[in-house]
Structures are given as C-alpha cells and as structure tokens.
C-alpha cells in the first residue's frame, strides 16, 4: 500500500508539472513504476534491468492508440464492469509466455521444469516403499519377504561392485611444482603462492575429499551387507540412492555445483572428467592454457583469484575490479596454444535464451520451438575497472549485450536461476540489448563438457567398466 501511494503521488506530481495537460511524460511514468514503486524491491541488478526493459516495451506513446502488446494482451475498452469480468474469466488461468512478451521456448522450459518436479516427486514416493536392509535384523525399520530381501541385496551389491570398479583410484592429485614450494610447515600465504595456485590446491583438496568419501562410504556399505557392521542411517540412505540410480546426498555435499539430483552414471562421468582436468591443470602449472570453468568445484573462487592476481600485478584495489568474459575465435580448447598475456581462457559455457551464429560471431534469434542451449567457443576472462555489476553493464561497448553467468541451471520451477557467478559476459549483437534481456539470454556453465571423451581416455579401465558409466546415465 505504501509503495502504491508513493507511486501515485509521484505520478500526480509529474502530471501536474506538465505544461500541456494532454501530454504524458512516458519516461517519467516508467521511472515512477521502475524506481518509486518497485525500485527498492530489486536486490539483483539483472532483475532491475529486466523490469526496465519490460516497461520500455509496454509503457510508451503508442499504447493509447490501441496497439496490441502481444497475442492476447491488449488494452480493452469494455462497456461495463461485468464485461471486464467475463473477459477475465474467459482468459487462460495460467500465464502463457507469448502473452507476456516472451518467446515460445519459455513454455518448453516451463513444461520441462514441471515434468522434472513430477518425476522427482514420483521417485520420492517410490523410495518410501523400497526394500531396505531391515529384514536381516540390522536396521529393523522395514520388513519384507526373504526372497524379495535377497533379490534387493543382490541388486544393490551388483551396482555397488560396478560403481567401485568404475571409480577413480583414491590417489592424491597434487601439482609437484607447488608441492616442492609448499612444505608441511608453511601455509599457502607463507609459501607466497599466487591466488590461482591457491585455487588449484583447494580444488585438489576437494577432489581428494570427495573420492575418499565415496570409497569409504561404499566400503562401509559393503561391510554392513556382509554382516560385519550395523546398518546406520547413512548406509540405509546409500542403499536407497543406489537402488534408484541416483547420487547419495553425502557425495553431492562434497561435490561440484549441480541443479538437482543427478543420475549415478552421469555423475561418475563428471567425476572422471573433473579429475582428468585437475591432472592436466597440475601438470601444466598456473595459469592453465584453457580452464574448464564448469568443471571446478568452486568456479566463483577461480574468478575472484583472477581479480586478485590482476590487483597484485597492476596495483588496482581489488574492490575496484570486475570480471568480464568475451568470446574468442577458438572453437575448441585444443586450438589454443598458449595462455593469454592478460586474464585466462575458459571453455564449457552454454548460451540459453538465444542462439550463437558462429560464422558471424554474434548473437542470433533462437529457434521458435524447444529450449535453446548453444555451446559457445572458448572465452577470454579478464579484469575490468568497474566497481559493481551495473558499472560492468554500462561499460559494455556499443553493439554488445551484457549477459549474466550462472554456475548451474535452475533446480526447480520455483527457482528462477542457478548460482550466479561474479562474472559478466560481453556478447556481440546487431539487435538491441533489450531483445535479449526480455528473451532471458544468459550463460550457464556446462558441467557435461567432454564427459565421454575424457572418461574413455582413462587408463586401466576396461570396456565393460566404461560401458557401465556411459550407459547408466
């Protein structure tokens, strides 16, 4: 109510100051709706930009002339209140993307999100009736026939053995050059490691902790199934996840960012790919030639480390720097021969809400049907003297769309975005930026980059073990 009153007051004063009573200051009305009424409600600069773009599309001089805003959204002049009521009741109960000025693929994204929620609900219902280890007198929380229990244990043991055979060895990944500089009695600060070197050590530590936990939890489960240890809550939860072919929660808590529950085989492929990427990084040293940004446990730390290194080198205060990413002419990481003089090369970014014209090197309209997720070429991340994200958007050159970058996609329909990175992508475009703002064009880190190629390059893995990984997701 207070926001509405303030908005009406600002509008009344704006109209009273107008020299010609019949004229309307549309810019003032947009500013009123965007700042006075809702400006304080936007804690995110991207949301505020979207709100301004929608106001520019809907609140302008042509509206009083009866212009139709979208397929069924138009300004009507009906004779009575009952006529308005009948019109509203005849309208669709759900919001249709085209009626809100969005592209048709937004409906596909909405339906996909709803289907995903339904499937997850069904999986949760099925998990409540699953057969556990209780019939053998260890958990005591469920009961079933001896035949069904034996079949369940045999099925779980089969999956357990396949997962253990397919897992990477629990060996430590360490960059030898850094290990020689980092003695056990020195901290990374005392050893004078660069910010990117510290991130590399942290990524190796997280990988070691994850692989160790996976091996340890499977060993505990195996011992419990053999009767050598009681079945605790963690082992019973692990059995349920393996039965459904999902990743246990104790593993995902130590793993990389993800949008939701992951199929077990796909997750194992991701584990393989990330370990291989860390081994390449450790062998090359810092900075890497090309970094798989979506393959890191904490991509935000990598971006902040780049800013910290730039601050060290140039003397610019860290709080005055922001990170921007620009598309390069390299189609794949294999084409890059050396790291850039300033910044880093990264790959594995997917563009949603728009298409990427590789021949022209700029944004293009996305297909009308289905979700659009286009893999982008190698990108160059560098530091820019800009205090806030709004400053980075304003600093974008003419003919460039400033896009947000997210670590993951939305986990559900209720979550509109994934985890945001402290990074802004500058993408060339012939169309005005407002088109891509309303279309929801944004970058998402692709966590599935080169899974099969990296997995099949693992030494010591048989075709049967790799087949389990490649087909079980």
């Amino acid at each position: 109510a207070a926001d509405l009153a303030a908005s009406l007051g600002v509008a009344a004063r704006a109209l009273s100051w107008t020299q010609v009573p019949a004229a309307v200051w549309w810019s003032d009305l947009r500013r009123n709706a965007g700042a006075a009424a809702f400006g304080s409600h936007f804690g995110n600069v991207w949301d505020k930009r979207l709100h301004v773009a929608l106001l520019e599309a809907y609140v302008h001089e042509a509206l009083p002339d009866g212009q139709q805003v979208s397929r069924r959204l138009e300004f009507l002049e009906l004779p009575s209140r009952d006529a308005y009521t009948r019109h509203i009741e005849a309208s669709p109960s759900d919001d249709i993307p085209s009626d809100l000025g969005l592209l048709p693929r937004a409906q596909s994204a909405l339906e996909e999100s709803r289907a995903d929620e339904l499937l997850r609900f069904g999986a949760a219902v099925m998990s409540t009736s699953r057969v556990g280890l209780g019939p053998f007198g260890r958990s005591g929380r469920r009961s079933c026939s001896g035949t069904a229990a034996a079949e369940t244990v045999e099925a779980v043991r089969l999956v357990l053995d396949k997962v253990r055979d397919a897992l990477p060895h629990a060996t430590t990944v360490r960059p030898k050059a850094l290990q020689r500089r980092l003695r056990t009695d020195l901290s990374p600060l005392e050893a004078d490691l660069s910010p990117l070197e510290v991130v590399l050590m942290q990524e190796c530590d997280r990988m070691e902790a994850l692989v160790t936990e996976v091996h340890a939890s499977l060993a505990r489960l195996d011992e419990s199934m053999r009767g050598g240890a009681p079945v605790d809550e963690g082992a019973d939860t692990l059995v349920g996840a393996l039965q459904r072919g999902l990743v246990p929660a104790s593993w995902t808590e130590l793993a990389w960012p993800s949008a939701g529950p992951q199929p077990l085989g796909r997750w194992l492929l991701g584990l393989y790919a990330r370990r291989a990427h860390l081994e390449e990084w450790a062998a090359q040293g810092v900075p890497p030639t090309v970094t798989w940004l979506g393959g890191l446990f904490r991509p935000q730390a990598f971006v902040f480390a780049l800013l910290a290194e730039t601050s060290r080198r140039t003397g610019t205060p860290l709080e005055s720097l922001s990170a921007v990413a620009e598309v390069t002419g390299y189609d794949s990481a294999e084409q890059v021969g050396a790291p850039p003089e300033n910044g880093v090369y990264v790959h594995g970014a997917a563009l949603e809400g728009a298409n990427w014209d590789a021949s022209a090197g700029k944004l293009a309209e996305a297909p009308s049907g289905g979700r659009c997720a286009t893999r982008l070429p190698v990108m160059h991340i560098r530091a820019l003297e800009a205090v806030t994200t709004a400053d980075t958007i304003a600093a974008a050159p003419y003919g460039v769309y400033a896009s947000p970058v997210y670590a993951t996609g939305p986990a559900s329909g209720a979550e509109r975005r994934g985890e945001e990175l402290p990074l802004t992508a500058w993408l060339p475009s012939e169309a005005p930026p407002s088109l891509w703002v309303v279309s929801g064009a944004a970058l998402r880190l692709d966590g599935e980059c080169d899974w099969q190629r990296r997995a099949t390059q693992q030494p010591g893995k048989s075709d049967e073990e790799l087949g389990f990984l490649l087909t079980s997701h």
Side-chain angles (χ1 to χ4, degrees):
D3 289 337
L4 179 60
S7 177
L8 292 175
V10 173
R13 285 192 295 272
L15 294 175
S16 64
W17 294 337
T18 304
Q19 299 297 326
V20 182
V24 177
W25 290 359
W26 293 99
S27 60
D28 287 349
L29 291 181
R30 287 193 295 267
R31 189 179 303 109
N32 173 53
F38 299 105
S40 61
H41 293 259
F42 293 117
N44 187 292
V45 64
W46 307 110
D47 291 340
K48 186 173 183 179
R49 185 178 68 163
L50 173 61
H51 183 65
V52 171
L54 291 174
L55 286 173
E56 291 177 350
Y58 294 154
V59 182
H60 54 82
E61 292 80 355
L63 294 185
D65 297 331
Q67 175 189 356
Q68 184 173 344
V69 176
S70 64
R71 188 162 55 91
R72 280 196 295 266
L73 180 61
E74 55 184 329
F75 290 88
L76 303 176
E77 294 184 6
L78 300 179
S80 64
R81 177 177 178 178
D82 292 339
Y84 280 107
T85 303
R86 289 192 298 269
H87 176 77
I88 294 173
E89 292 176 347
S91 301
S93 57
D94 295 334
D95 292 333
I96 298 177
S98 58
D99 288 350
L100 301 177
L102 302 178
L103 299 178
R105 66 175 171 277
Q107 183 69 22
S108 301
L110 176 62
E111 296 299 332
E112 180 180 327
S113 176
R114 289 175 175 174
D116 184 63
E117 290 181 348
L118 178 61
L119 291 176
R120 291 181 184 176
F121 175 76
V125 171
M126 293 177 63
S127 67
T128 60
S129 59
R130 63 178 173 84
V131 179
L133 301 180
F136 296 92
R138 292 189 285 273
S139 70
R141 294 192 295 114
R142 300 176 179 86
S143 62
C144 62
S145 66
T147 302
E151 292 177 352
T152 298
V153 172
E154 184 63 27
V156 172
R157 185 180 298 281
L158 179 63
V159 176
L160 186 149
D161 292 340
K162 286 183 175 293
V163 171
R164 294 179 71 176
D165 292 339
L167 278 174
H169 297 296
T171 55
T172 302
V173 179
R174 278 289 185 271
K176 296 181 180 179
L178 298 186
Q179 282 293 92
R180 288 192 292 267
R181 294 165 51 192
L182 184 62
R183 302 196 310 271
T184 56
D185 58 337
L186 291 180
S187 67
L189 181 60
E190 293 171 330
D192 194 28
L193 297 184
S194 70
L196 283 176
E197 289 173 336
V198 172
V199 170
L200 172 58
M201 298 295 293
Q202 293 173 343
E203 289 290 316
C204 292
D205 290 339
R206 293 186 181 103
M207 176 60 71
E208 181 180 359
L210 174 60
V211 175
T212 301
E213 168 59 25
V214 172
H215 278 282
S217 60
L218 292 178
R220 291 192 298 267
L221 176 60
D222 185 43
E223 185 179 2
S224 299
M225 295 179 68
R226 296 178 187 276
V231 178
D232 57 10
E233 185 69 23
D236 216 15
T237 302
L238 182 59
V239 169
L242 293 179
Q243 281 184 293
R244 301 194 304 274
L246 298 178
V247 182
S250 61
W251 299 1
T252 58
E253 289 175 357
L254 299 175
W256 51 90
S258 60
Q262 293 283 325
L264 183 57
R266 180 182 300 176
W267 189 86
L268 289 173
L269 281 175
L271 180 62
Y272 260 115
R274 285 166 172 82
R275 185 181 177 89
H277 179 252
L278 273 182
E279 291 174 348
E280 294 176 4
W281 188 356
Q284 293 179 9
V286 177
T289 304
V290 183
T291 301
W292 176 24
L293 195 57
L296 301 180
F297 286 80
R298 299 292 183 270
Q300 298 89 339
F302 181 84
V303 176
F304 279 124
L306 170 63
L307 297 179
E309 289 211 346
T310 304
S311 176
R312 278 187 178 187
R313 187 179 67 255
T314 63
T316 306
L318 181 60
E319 60 272 14
S320 300
L321 295 176
S322 299
V324 295
E326 297 172 284
V327 178
T328 69
Y330 300 112
D331 293 331
S332 64
E334 288 74 13
Q335 297 178 357
V336 183
E341 296 181 359
N342 178 26
V344 293
Y345 288 133
V346 299
H347 72 110
L351 173 65
E352 294 188 345
N355 201 2
W356 179 256
D357 188 344
S359 60
K362 59 186 63 178
L363 292 173
E365 292 272 3
S368 58
R371 297 192 68 178
C372 176
T374 305
R375 180 75 59 82
L376 288 179
V378 173
M379 303 193 74
H380 178 206
I381 300 181
R382 60 182 178 87
L384 176 75
E385 288 196 41
V387 177
T388 65
T389 303
D391 295 335
T392 307
I393 297 174
Y398 178 79
V400 169
Y401 167 66
S403 167
V405 183
Y406 299 102
T408 61
S412 65
E415 186 180 348
R416 299 302 180 187
R417 61 175 66 83
E419 186 177 0
E420 184 179 347
L421 292 182
L423 176 65
T424 302
W426 285 356
L427 306 175
S429 169
E430 290 184 352
S434 59
L435 171 65
W436 311 118
V437 172
V438 176
S439 300
L443 264 62
R444 172 182 54 80
L445 298 187
D446 188 357
E448 301 182 9
C449 175
D450 297 334
W451 278 1
Q452 294 191 12
R453 179 183 66 82
R454 292 180 181 271
T456 53
Q457 291 176 349
Q458 296 300 310
K461 290 299 174 186
S462 65
D463 292 339
E464 181 181 355
E465 293 168 346
L466 293 174
F468 168 72
L469 289 175
L470 298 176
T471 60
S472 60
H473 70 278

